Amino acid sequence: GSASCHNTSVLYLASCMVPTALSASNLTTTTADVSWVASTTVPTNGYDYYYSTVNTAPTAATTPTGNVASGVIANLSGLSAGTQYYAWVRSNCSVSDQSTWAGPLSFSTVCNEVTSFVENFEAYPSGINSLPVCWSRGGTSVGTYITTGSLAPMSPTKRIYIFASGTTPSEG
């Protein structure tokens, strides 16, 4: 008789490694720096990056927003104030060899400074803590809440109600 062994495995080793640990820093109203930890092998053509206001991952066929030939920081500009963005980065080893996209990284640009105090609450849903972009809750006590709603009397139909309960701090 004869014996045969058919216990074989194939291990695929990627040639273009994915960057890791995406982060955002130096956020302003119109700019942000996106950085990452370099892949274990430095890609010949640097790193491609892609960003969007929609959290839909890019595919292999997606055209990158830009490329960083050397280094691990993409300086994004021309962004909109008070806007949430999503970013992805991939290694670009050659025209036909890129890693998968790392991400998404979510970050928001800084809000513009208030120059006039006018807000139309009609566009925001009713409910506790339903706030416009760039607004934040001013307290953390149990009795502090903000709500938009349509109870009369008001014009047009929505208003913001800010309430806080507690004691007045004493001076010592």
Side-chain angles (χ1 to χ4, degrees):
S2 67
S4 64
C5 178
H6 296 285
N7 191 6
T8 307
S9 65
V10 175
L11 180 61
Y12 172 74
L13 298 174
S15 63
C16 202
M17 305 303 289
V18 180
T20 59
L22 276 63
S23 64
S25 62
N26 301 322
L27 300 168
T28 72
T29 55
T30 60
T31 64
D33 290 343
V34 172
S35 60
W36 54 91
V37 173
S39 54
T40 53
T41 53
V42 178
T44 305
N45 294 337
Y47 297 93
D48 295 331
Y49 61 90
Y50 175 79
Y51 67 90
S52 175
T53 57
V54 179
N55 188 10
T56 301
T59 66
T62 301
T63 301
T65 305
N67 177 273
V68 175
S70 64
V72 291
I73 298 176
N75 307 109
L76 310 183
S77 61
L79 306 177
S80 297
T83 304
Q84 185 172 25
Y85 287 91
Y86 303 90
W88 294 264
V89 177
R90 71 179 178 189
S91 297
N92 187 339
C93 295
S94 72
V95 173
S96 61
D97 187 19
Q98 297 89 29
S99 72
T100 57
W101 291 98
L105 166 67
S106 174
F107 66 92
S108 294
T109 50
V110 176
C111 296
N112 284 320
E113 291 184 21
V114 175
T115 56
S116 66
F117 191 77
V118 176
E119 184 71 52
N120 179 359
F121 296 102
E122 296 301 305
Y124 303 100
S126 296
I128 293 175
N129 294 326
S130 177
L131 295 172
V133 172
C134 296
W135 281 60
S136 63
R137 187 174 169 175
T140 57
S141 70
V142 175
T144 302
Y145 66 91
I146 299 173
T147 181
T148 56
S150 58
L151 298 175
M154 75 206 79
S155 179
T157 60
K158 286 193 177 176
R159 52 60 177 122
I160 191 163
Y161 179 72
I162 303 172
F163 172 80
S165 67
T167 59
T168 304
S170 62
E171 293 183 22

